[in-house]
Amino acid sequence: MTDNAETADTAGRDVEFGVDTFGAVTISGDGSPVTQSQAIRDIVDDVVLADEVGLDFFGVGEHHRPDFAVSSPEMVLSAAAARTKSIHLGSTVTVLSSDDPVRVYERFATLDAVSHGRAEIVAGRGSFIESFPLFGYDLSDYEVLFEEKLELLAKLLRDQPVTWQGTTRAPLSNQSAYPTTEKPIPAWVGVGGSPESVVRTAKYGFNLFLAIIGGAPERFAPYVDLFKRAQDEYGVPHRPVAIHSPGLVADTDEAARELVAEGWLRSRKKIGRERGWPPPQPGDFEAEIESGSLYVGSPGTVAKKIASTVHALGVNRFDLKYDQAEVTHAALQTSIGLYGESVVPLVKDILSGS
């Protein structure tokens, strides 16, 4: 996808399809967790498979906690770049608030070189906050850290050499970062549902990546509209919009639900305790599949739901977050294969009216 693409219509040929992972530690056949090292090696194999089945994008999240294995997405993606040919490779997300924009730019410029121009950056504040104390940042600076670092990253991507001054790092005066790239790196901002974040994304000229992880996806239509209006107000070209939602594909609806249900419930309870959410209620899992943002089922079921979402929101890319709690790597690979070989062609047929 080009960095300055206009928001596409929903004809199948204009929509890209990818997968992404938070790097969840999977389980082995006996139900015990695999090592984090094995989980990372498995992700590289997943990228290879996604490339083989013709997917457009593979994203890897950054986390610093025991249930997720990847703390350095660029390292994993560089290993995958050496074994793939076409698929674009990006972070979902790079936690920019607790990183340095210059180093982020340089790492992704390096990934772009080794992948022959397939690198993408998805920057965000992150859905977890472990990186803040780990790297010595104060959570009271949460907003200013992201605002200033996003501004600097935007300059590094488009205006080198850079002169910049803020309050969160040393200023730059006519500085360049290396390596240089052969073309601009596509860059997105991951947004979880804040209107202010949508407007900020437009202000700094980034593509918009919406994380839709619960509830009816149609409720995000105002955010897509806001993004367009904000770009018009700032006088910048319309940029692409992508969405990311969790799911898993299996041969039948029943098999997919059985694979996901228990792990989904336990994960919701665990994260809910950390964040103060109410515990899941009976029927929540089924409701998320039927009318929410959980894409779990057979190829036909998942394809219809994705097509409905893409049509309703008019987005340029749909990413399936394919890793699920307490699922084996074999089941995840089956899901990637079915998604690329069966689901995506069905979605394209539906969107094109075939």
Side-chain angles (χ1 to χ4, degrees):
M1 177 174 290
T2 58
D3 189 45
N4 60 352
E6 292 286 333
T7 300
D9 60 35
T10 54
R13 67 180 181 275
D14 295 321
V15 181
E16 294 181 350
F17 297 90
V19 289
D20 57 53
T21 175
F22 283 0
V25 174
T26 56
I27 59 171
S28 58
D30 64 5
S32 61
V34 304
T35 65
Q36 290 196 331
S37 296
Q38 184 60 52
I40 289 171
R41 291 190 288 268
D42 288 342
I43 291 169
V44 176
D45 289 339
D46 293 344
V47 187
V48 173
L49 175 59
D51 190 47
E52 290 173 349
V53 299
L55 294 176
D56 298 298
F57 177 77
F58 195 103
V60 179
E62 173 196 343
H63 294 86
H64 305 268
R65 48 188 288 137
D67 41 349
F68 299 116
V70 180
S71 59
S72 178
E74 306 91 340
M75 292 291 290
V76 179
L77 295 169
S78 289
R83 296 178 54 192
T84 55
K85 297 179 179 178
S86 300
I87 195 164
H88 279 225
L89 307 165
S91 54
T92 48
V93 299
T94 292
V95 185
L96 187 63
S97 303
S98 57
D99 210 328
D100 183 85
V102 176
R103 294 297 291 147
V104 169
Y105 171 85
E106 290 183 337
R107 294 197 303 265
F108 277 93
T110 303
L111 173 63
D112 199 60
V114 300
S115 67
H116 294 271
R118 293 185 281 134
E120 300 190 11
I121 302 171
V122 184
R125 290 183 288 189
S127 57
F128 297 94
I129 58 173
E130 287 81 3
S131 63
F132 285 81
L134 184 63
F135 298 118
Y137 289 97
D138 191 332
L139 275 172
S140 66
D141 296 328
Y142 189 78
E143 293 293 338
V144 67
L145 281 167
F146 189 66
E147 178 81 31
E148 290 193 359
K149 292 186 177 188
L150 192 66
E151 179 188 31
L152 177 54
L153 181 62
K155 285 181 172 291
L156 289 161
L157 287 165
R158 300 182 181 97
D159 299 326
Q160 294 200 42
V162 170
T163 296
W164 177 91
Q165 184 170 349
T167 64
T168 58
R169 74 176 309 281
L172 297 176
S173 178
N174 203 37
Q175 295 277 339
S176 295
Y178 301 98
T180 57
T181 59
E182 295 169 333
K183 58 182 179 59
I185 300 174
W188 311 70
V189 172
V191 174
S194 161
E196 294 79 10
S197 295
V198 173
V199 173
R200 181 192 293 121
T201 302
K203 173 183 177 181
Y204 291 119
F206 286 89
N207 308 336
L208 179 65
F209 212 121
L210 290 168
I212 306 179
I213 61 174
E218 293 82 4
R219 67 192 176 93
F220 277 77
Y223 294 95
V224 177
D225 180 64
L226 175 62
F227 186 54
K228 294 176 182 177
R229 289 189 286 110
Q231 290 172 112
D232 289 340
E233 290 180 11
Y234 284 114
V236 298
H238 285 193
R239 292 186 171 273
V241 178
I243 60 175
H244 131 119
S245 292
L248 183 133
V249 190
D251 290 328
T252 66
D253 291 346
E254 294 76 13
R257 292 187 182 207
E258 184 176 352
L259 284 166
V260 175
E262 290 188 12
W264 184 89
L265 287 168
R266 274 194 281 267
S267 178
R268 276 287 304 272
K269 289 176 182 177
K270 177 182 178 182
I271 295 174
R273 286 193 297 269
E274 295 176 4
R275 301 185 179 184
W277 297 346
Q281 300 300 306
D284 282 357
F285 176 68
E286 292 76 13
E288 279 296 332
I289 293 174
E290 297 297 332
S291 58
S293 296
L294 192 56
Y295 296 74
V296 170
S298 66
T301 296
V302 174
K304 290 176 184 176
K305 186 167 184 175
I306 291 174
S308 176
T309 298
V310 170
H311 179 74
L313 299 181
V315 296
N316 304 84
R317 177 186 287 169
F318 181 92
D319 256 22
L320 185 74
K321 190 188 85 67
Y322 72 93
D323 63 332
Q324 298 291 327
E326 301 179 29
V327 174
T328 65
H329 181 235
L332 297 183
Q333 287 226 308
T334 296
S335 180
I336 293 171
L338 288 171
Y339 177 68
E341 294 177 339
S342 300
V343 173
V344 170
L346 284 170
V347 175
K348 291 181 177 180
D349 286 345
I350 294 169
L351 293 177
S352 64
S354 299

